[in-house]
């Protein structure tokens, strides 16, 4: 058996790579789940991978849907000061009862301050987008707001007898669409 020379090895047919090289495309515009009926009279805002609890943000967003921009901002500021609560309608496990929830004909409610502050920031961003498009910010209403789960962050927590458990967090994506209210004739 003869050892092949380097030139013979180099000229031998090469196997194709297991994975094709990555194709780098330019970053595309973010897709919203819903588009406005009249894009010239609406504005959008989006937050991706926000470090706030999905369930709290879902309930807070559901509470402000359909409100005008100014009403929603005032409501979220009141939630931060614990003057008004966010009614919990879907995720109601172990949620305490409060008389502040009677405003919404509910009994369970909480004051998710972090979620309220994140949504206030998104509303501020949407307002500046509206001013850029020369829209009247006083007549804007939240016609669409959606909260969806983002990829969970993975950590570990150490338990008794040398065991290790998962310690995940539940971030979320938020998108909102605000439209100018059409004046009825």
């Amino acid at each position: 058996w003869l050892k092949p020379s380097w030139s013979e090895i180099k000229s031998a047919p090469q196997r194709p790579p297991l994975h094709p090289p990555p194709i780098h495309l330019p970053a595309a515009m973010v897709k919203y789940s819903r588009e406005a009926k009249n894009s010239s009279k609406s504005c959008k805002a989006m937050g991706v991978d926000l470090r706030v609890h999905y369930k709290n943000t879902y309930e807070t967003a559901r509470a402000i849907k359909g409100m005008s921009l100014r009403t929603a901002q005032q409501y979220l500021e009141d939630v931060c000061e614990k003057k008004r609560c966010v009614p919990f309608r879907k995720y109601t496990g172990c949620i305490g009862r409060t008389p502040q929830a009677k405003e919404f004909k509910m009994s369970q409610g909480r004051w998710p301050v972090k979620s309220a502050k994140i949504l206030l920031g998104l509303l501020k961003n949407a307002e500046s987008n509206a001013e850029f498009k020369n829209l009247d910010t006083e007549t804007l209403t939240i016609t669409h707001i959606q909260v969806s789960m983002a990829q969970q962050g993975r950590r570990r927590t150490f338990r008794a007898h040398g065991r290790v458990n998962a310690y995940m967090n539940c971030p979320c994506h938020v998108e909102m669409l605000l439209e100018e209210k059409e004046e009825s004739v």
Side-chain angles (χ1 to χ4, degrees):
W1 186 80
L2 292 171
K3 200 173 188 181
S5 67
W6 177 247
S7 60
E8 290 173 350
I9 292 173
K10 208 171 173 186
S11 65
Q14 295 291 320
R15 282 196 322 223
L18 292 175
H19 301 289
I23 299 167
H24 296 289
L25 298 172
M29 292 290 290
V30 179
K31 190 157 168 77
Y32 283 74
S33 66
R34 181 177 295 176
E35 289 301 323
K37 293 171 189 161
N38 186 357
S39 60
S40 63
K41 293 281 185 185
S42 66
C43 62
K44 300 188 276 193
M46 177 181 262
V48 180
D49 286 320
L50 302 172
R51 291 289 300 271
V52 279
H53 292 302
Y54 161 74
K55 292 180 180 181
N56 289 348
T57 312
Y58 172 90
E59 297 290 1
T60 311
R62 193 166 169 187
I64 66 168
K65 184 180 178 181
M67 289 184 182
S68 71
L69 177 66
R70 298 285 174 244
T71 312
Q73 286 174 331
Q74 185 57 51
Y75 171 69
L76 291 174
E77 284 164 10
D78 288 348
V79 168
C80 291
E81 294 165 14
K82 304 197 175 171
K83 292 179 185 173
R84 295 169 77 187
C85 78
V86 171
F88 275 59
R89 302 170 196 273
K90 182 176 181 182
Y91 300 108
T92 56
C94 296
I95 302 293
R97 296 182 293 186
T98 173
Q100 287 183 8
K102 287 180 187 174
E103 176 188 351
F104 307 97
K105 296 186 173 59
M106 298 289 297
S107 60
Q108 293 173 295
R110 275 188 178 174
W111 301 266
V113 173
K114 195 172 176 183
S115 296
K117 285 181 178 173
I118 292 284
L119 288 177
L120 268 171
L122 277 173
L123 286 173
K124 189 176 180 184
N125 180 242
E127 184 180 0
S128 63
N129 292 345
E131 286 169 359
F132 181 76
K133 291 175 83 171
N134 296 322
L135 300 177
D136 181 17
T137 54
E138 299 301 320
T139 60
L140 287 176
T141 55
I142 303 167
T143 54
H144 166 72
I145 184 163
Q146 177 178 308
V147 180
S148 35
M149 291 185 193
Q151 185 176 2
Q152 292 192 329
R154 296 169 182 276
R155 288 189 291 165
R156 293 280 168 261
T157 183
F158 300 96
R159 311 304 296 265
H161 310 296
R163 292 176 303 129
V164 179
N165 282 7
Y167 208 67
M168 315 285 266
N169 67 354
C170 304
C172 61
H173 308 306
V174 181
E175 64 181 56
M176 61 175 68
L177 191 64
L178 287 84
E179 292 180 17
E180 270 188 358
K181 191 178 272 185
E182 295 173 5
E183 294 177 14
S184 56
V185 178

